[in-house]
Amino acid sequence: MKIGLVGLPNSGKSTVFNALTRGNAATAAYSSGALEVHTLVVDVPDERVDTLVDMYRPKKITPAKVEYSDIGGLRGDAAQGIAISGEQLGQIATNDALIHVVRTFEDANVAHPLENIDPQRDIDTLDTEFLLSDLSKIENRMPKLAGNLSKGKSLPSYEVEKKEFDLLTRLKETLENGIPLRDVELTEEEEKILRGFQFLSQKPMMILLNMGDEGYPDAKKISYPHQNAVVSQIRGRLEMDIINLDDEDARMFMEEYGISQLSLNRIIHESYQLLSRMVFFTAGETEVHAWEAPLNATALTCAGLIHSDLERGFIRAEVVSFEDLSAAGSEAAAKSAGTWRLEGKKYVAQDGDVLLIRFNV
Ligand SMILES: Nc1nc2c(ncn2[C@@H]2O[C@H](COP(=O)(O)OP(=O)(O)OP(=O)(O)O)[C@@H](O)[C@H]2O)c(=O)[nH]1
Ligand SMILES: [Mg+2]
């Protein structure tokens, strides 16, 4: 899962990136304006993996991973507005989901490119840039399609290109009405047609309010009424400071500020929901492995994520839920309790399932 952190200059992207990854990207009160991307891969913390490791004592442990990228270097001011280069848009487009870090903290020492603190405006500002970028991709593509279609139905690709043309016409209208593409209901076929475009306003979006040490009283007023979107919060600088402390100091600090859990775990969890993903496990003495899969993936899809041979030669899946396995205490106990079962390739896997794929190639 690849998540891109985006946001206006000085909103606290690098600060939040550090808080989420225990990283040490440079943060500064003045934006350099140069494109700079920091990327780190983080293990998804999961107590279930620890339990399975206790049970199987494997040689190798592979947790699920999340890749965060801090995409800096947006420029702008109140007079000119915010500008995003083509290169930056390209970087943003490679992610599965976006976290828009929105500044809500007041600090006279940190300049806001649009001068005052107005989170709702900042949200709209970046959204507009994404809409315009998507619109220009569509406007670049449509004349070529129109040209081909004008040659008539005898063209072998006529049907396919007509479908694409009609879909783009519909999406163009949506964007012109200021609606992001994530709000458009699409069929599986339409999703496929659009995949190559990597539209920015189609990506699942977390609005992450960067709250300042004392919080932001108006946070509840921020609205983002879109599909595949969520509004969340973080006290970025405070959390970045805490992850750099030793355990004892961190505990005291968190108590003082009333923080029960650091955001790095919570944000990953929220990202999984946002992206409709789940985790299943394979477990044995060789390896305990947590796999990321789409929600409602079938046993066959899960097999394919592990290895294409397992998908090709799929016979059956042995399945036990994590809860049943850990309650039983061992494979053997789960088998005699009858919770360890056999399923076919259409079985819809559940979050936390432990799978053993039987296959033959
Ligand atoms: N007061 C306060 N300052 C913060 C907070 N979060 C970040 N900052 C400060 O704001 C400044 C900008 O933070 P960065 O994380 O560098 O912001 P950025 O979005 O990465 O900036 P660019 O990469 O230049 O676009 C730094 O001086 C941070 O220390 C916060 O919660 N409160
Ligand atoms: Mg930065």
Side-chain angles (χ1 to χ4, degrees):
M1 177 151 85
K2 285 181 68 165
I3 301 178
L5 295 169
V6 296
L8 300 197
N10 274 351
S11 55
K13 296 177 293 296
S14 302
T15 304
V16 168
F17 173 80
N18 290 342
L20 296 182
T21 63
R22 301 179 189 274
N24 53 4
T27 63
Y30 294 95
S31 258
S32 73
L35 171 61
E36 212 178 289
V37 182
H38 310 109
T39 298
L40 272 178
V41 177
V42 177
D43 290 346
V44 174
D46 192 334
E47 285 169 4
R48 296 173 299 185
V49 172
D50 305 336
T51 305
L52 292 173
V53 167
D54 283 345
M55 204 178 280
Y56 287 93
R57 305 258 155 228
K59 291 192 190 72
K60 192 174 167 202
I61 305 163
T62 312
K65 313 265 185 209
V66 173
E67 181 180 313
Y68 285 108
S69 295
D70 162 23
I71 304 161
L74 269 59
R75 285 173 216 232
D77 56 37
Q80 306 279 326
I82 297 296
I84 313 182
S85 70
E87 211 182 348
Q88 275 159 341
L89 292 168
Q91 281 285 349
I92 296 170
T94 62
N95 291 283
D96 302 317
L98 302 176
I99 294 182
H100 180 178
V101 177
V102 180
R103 174 170 171 182
T104 69
F105 66 87
E106 299 274 356
D107 187 335
N109 295 318
V110 180
H112 192 299
L114 303 180
E115 288 170 7
N116 62 329
I117 302 299
D118 183 347
Q120 195 76 53
R121 172 207 56 202
D122 295 353
I123 293 170
D124 293 344
T125 301
L126 207 56
D127 266 6
T128 303
E129 292 301 320
F130 292 170
L131 256 61
L132 290 173
S133 156
D134 291 350
L135 203 52
S136 89
K137 283 181 187 166
I138 291 181
E139 282 167 351
N140 282 339
R141 175 72 178 149
M142 284 185 74
K144 180 159 192 321
L145 288 171
N148 289 349
L149 292 174
S150 70
K151 290 175 195 149
K153 289 191 177 171
S154 56
L155 208 71
S157 60
Y158 184 87
E159 284 305 320
V160 175
E161 296 200 329
K162 179 82 172 76
K163 264 189 195 152
E164 186 183 341
F165 187 83
D166 290 346
L167 177 59
L168 292 183
T169 307
R170 199 173 116 214
L171 297 186
K172 184 165 176 279
E173 211 176 287
T174 306
L175 291 166
E176 281 165 350
N177 288 323
I179 299 168
L181 298 182
R182 72 179 75 83
D183 285 0
V184 180
E185 203 77 55
L186 295 168
T187 65
E188 221 165 279
E189 187 190 15
E190 289 170 334
E191 293 261 10
K192 229 181 214 163
I193 296 173
L194 297 184
R195 207 159 288 159
F197 286 95
Q198 297 190 315
F199 288 124
L200 300 180
S201 76
Q202 198 188 3
K203 294 189 183 294
M205 171 71 90
M206 179 186 296
I207 301 292
L208 186 56
L209 304 174
N210 185 17
M211 304 288 278
D213 300 357
E214 307 305 330
Y216 178 62
D218 288 340
K220 287 213 168 64
K221 291 192 193 148
I222 305 294
S223 76
Y224 199 68
H226 295 295
Q227 299 296 311
N228 296 322
V230 61
V231 179
S232 193
Q233 308 176 354
I234 187 170
R235 284 186 266 179
R237 193 173 63 174
L238 198 61
E239 296 217 8
M240 180 181 117
D241 289 346
I242 292 172
I243 56 154
N244 288 314
L245 297 174
D246 62 45
D247 288 353
E248 179 55 23
D249 286 348
R251 200 186 52 74
M252 276 167 52
F253 215 80
M254 286 169 70
E255 210 162 85
E256 186 182 336
Y257 280 91
I259 298 173
S260 58
Q261 197 205 154
L262 288 176
S263 295
L264 71 178
N265 296 0
R266 175 177 55 87
I267 301 275
I268 287 179
H269 184 70
E270 289 175 0
S271 304
Y272 264 75
Q273 288 181 325
L274 182 66
L275 276 159
S276 303
R277 304 287 170 99
M278 62 169 193
V279 169
F280 72 90
F281 304 101
T282 50
E285 278 159 20
T286 321
E287 187 181 12
V288 165
H289 195 134
W291 302 86
E292 178 197 323
L295 221 51
N296 299 325
T298 60
L300 189 66
T301 304
C302 293
L305 290 169
I306 301 169
H307 197 286
S308 55
D309 283 353
L310 271 60
E311 186 174 12
R312 207 154 37 90
F314 185 98
I315 302 169
R316 288 258 180 211
E318 295 184 25
V319 185
V320 63
S321 73
F322 169 79
E323 282 75 23
D324 287 341
L325 179 58
S326 66
S330 72
E331 261 185 47
K335 277 174 187 161
S336 55
T339 50
W340 187 288
R341 57 199 201 274
L342 277 177
E343 299 280 0
K345 59 179 155 190
K346 287 195 181 136
Y347 168 72
V348 177
Q350 304 295 310
D351 183 61
D353 274 354
V354 181
L355 299 183
L356 178 69
I357 308 294
R358 287 194 193 162
F359 71 109
N360 185 10
V361 284

